[in-house]
Amino acid sequence: MIWHRLWTFYLEQPGYALVLLGNLVFVVGALALAIAALLLRIRNDRTARHWRALEERWESRTVEVLTEVSPPERLWSLIARGDELRFLNFLLRFARRLTGTERRRVDELAAPYLDRVLPQLAARSPERRARAIQTLTTLGARKYAFQVVRSLDDPSPLVAMVAARSLARRESPDFAAPILRHLHRFGDWRPSFLASMLASIGPAVAPALRQALADPTFDPKTRCVAADALRELNDYASADVAGAVLDETTDRDLLVATLSLLAHVGRNDQVVAIRRHLASPESIVRSRVMSVLGRIGTPEDAGTLVEAFDDPSPWVALRAAEAMYESRNPALTRLADSDHPRAALARQMLTGGGA
């Protein structure tokens, strides 16, 4: 009977019937979504309570293992099949807070389960691949170094950078060469960041950096990063390499990076190579030459600094003034007392103690 009435209503008022039907469908759909959201929330809350309870059990037993109250096997017996990755994430939080013997024990606790992370390196999500690399490098020591080095070729630049940073944090020069070979992938990252990443490996990385700086087959940007890292390390042994680079390159950025390195570690016998760039068409190169000559130049360069005070570029003039101040060139005082167009700059340098 009710279906007959509905059909009759539809035939008599089809427009209203369609509106009512549409509203009914909307209400039913909204109720279905609300119920689905409620069920999902209940399931998530149940899962969260389960993991909290499980991690509380793990935590108490982990503390016992780290303090040598109980053997690792008692903790491992609590790890059910399928919970291995969650357990590793749990151990990561411990690893980041501990050092020394306790830190090594965390690695030992993770060792039986780390192979379960390897399939994550092929996951479709770059974030999951990056997480896998962090887990392996934090808990896996050198055992998984090969897999992490391979991740430098990952299609995602994010994953490749995570791999590079993880390898650099190992503080082992063995990984400097593969990182340097892949630096071209990180063109969007600041060179100063990349240099600091490499320098963080420590002084042992210097030979690899010198080799990269000296090698003309490397991308100039990579050689720039190597020069900046050597400067951060104050690697005096790189002075000869830097001098040779000045003789062979014409790349502006590489010249600037190499000159900056020589300003820190250079010697007087390298000023000949430096002077070759006094007439560079690039003002930034000329200004950097002034800075280097102010630190390692010979008395013969005093006149060069005075001439550079008249350079068309105000930046070159500024660096020349700084160089005269650093080298205690008496010409700076004469310029300050003269009617030179840049006499005010000389006076500021003398009274301000440098820019």
Side-chain angles (χ1 to χ4, degrees):
M1 179 68 73
I2 188 171
W3 295 110
H4 176 71
R5 291 181 178 179
L6 290 173
W7 180 249
T8 302
F9 177 73
Y10 172 73
L11 293 176
E12 294 175 353
Q13 302 287 341
Y16 286 114
L18 289 175
V19 170
L20 290 174
L21 180 61
N23 288 337
L24 179 62
V25 171
F26 176 79
V27 170
V28 172
L31 286 174
L33 289 174
I35 293 172
L38 179 62
L39 293 175
L40 183 62
R41 177 65 180 270
I42 293 173
R43 188 186 71 175
N44 288 341
D45 287 345
R46 185 183 299 119
T47 301
R49 287 195 300 271
H50 167 74
W51 286 122
R52 280 197 299 270
L54 197 57
E55 289 191 359
E56 287 176 1
R57 294 176 61 198
W58 290 347
E59 184 169 1
S60 60
R61 193 58 56 83
T62 300
V63 172
E64 292 177 2
V65 175
L66 295 180
T67 55
E68 297 184 308
V69 174
S70 64
E73 289 76 12
R74 293 191 63 186
L75 173 59
W76 291 333
S77 67
L78 300 178
I79 313 304
R81 186 172 182 80
D83 292 346
E84 297 91 349
L85 294 180
R86 185 79 183 197
F87 177 61
L88 290 174
N89 289 333
F90 165 78
L91 289 179
L92 276 174
R93 298 199 294 272
F94 267 88
R96 289 165 180 159
R97 299 196 302 262
L98 300 175
T99 58
T101 303
E102 292 180 338
R103 175 66 182 79
R104 289 191 292 273
R105 287 187 185 131
V106 172
D107 289 351
E108 293 170 0
L109 289 174
Y113 306 103
L114 285 174
D115 283 349
R116 308 291 177 89
V117 179
L118 294 178
Q120 300 293 312
L121 294 175
R124 294 184 61 182
S125 167
E127 290 75 16
R128 290 178 66 185
R129 300 199 300 273
R131 179 72 174 181
I133 290 170
Q134 289 178 329
T135 302
L136 290 173
T137 53
T138 302
L139 300 174
R142 300 178 65 89
K143 180 180 178 181
Y144 299 94
F146 174 74
Q147 288 86 348
V148 177
V149 170
R150 287 182 58 187
S151 294
L152 291 170
D153 290 312
D154 191 277
S156 167
L158 169 66
V159 177
M161 173 52 73
V162 170
R165 293 187 66 184
S166 299
L167 291 169
R169 280 197 295 267
R170 292 171 180 268
E171 299 181 353
S172 171
D174 298 342
F175 304 110
I179 295 174
L180 285 164
R181 286 196 299 270
H182 290 82
L183 276 187
H184 65 277
R185 300 200 59 196
F186 310 130
D188 293 335
W189 294 76
R190 293 196 316 273
S192 59
F193 170 81
L194 298 175
S196 295
M197 178 182 71
L198 287 165
S200 68
I201 297 175
V205 76
L209 294 173
R210 285 185 226 121
Q211 183 177 356
L213 176 60
D215 191 345
T217 64
F218 270 95
D219 181 83
K221 291 182 179 179
T222 298
R223 300 174 75 188
C224 289
V225 171
D228 291 343
L230 288 166
R231 175 169 52 82
E232 288 194 31
L233 291 170
N234 286 316
D235 182 58
Y236 288 93
S238 63
D240 290 331
V241 174
V245 171
L246 291 183
D247 287 337
E248 57 91 359
T249 189
T250 58
D251 183 84
R252 183 194 68 174
D253 293 336
L254 182 53
L255 284 172
V256 170
T258 305
L259 287 166
S260 298
L261 172 60
L262 284 173
H264 283 73
V265 303
R267 302 185 305 270
N268 294 137
D269 57 342
Q270 283 143 357
V271 295
V272 174
I274 295 166
R275 290 171 188 155
R276 293 195 182 100
H277 299 281
L278 284 168
S280 170
E282 300 285 351
S283 60
I284 188 172
V285 174
R286 299 197 305 275
S287 66
R288 203 54 54 93
V289 168
M290 296 303 109
S291 297
V292 183
L293 291 179
R295 296 190 180 187
I296 65 172
T298 67
E300 299 175 30
D301 297 304
T304 300
L305 298 177
V306 175
E307 292 175 5
F309 199 66
D310 291 317
D311 192 280
S313 169
W315 293 106
V316 177
L318 173 62
R319 301 308 172 204
E322 289 177 342
M324 284 189 279
Y325 180 83
E326 290 183 8
S327 60
R328 303 182 184 278
N329 191 327
L332 186 62
T333 302
R334 293 196 298 272
L335 289 167
D337 295 335
S338 70
D339 57 357
H340 192 283
R342 289 171 172 160
L345 173 60
R347 288 193 292 270
Q348 180 182 359
M349 196 63 55
L350 289 170
T351 56

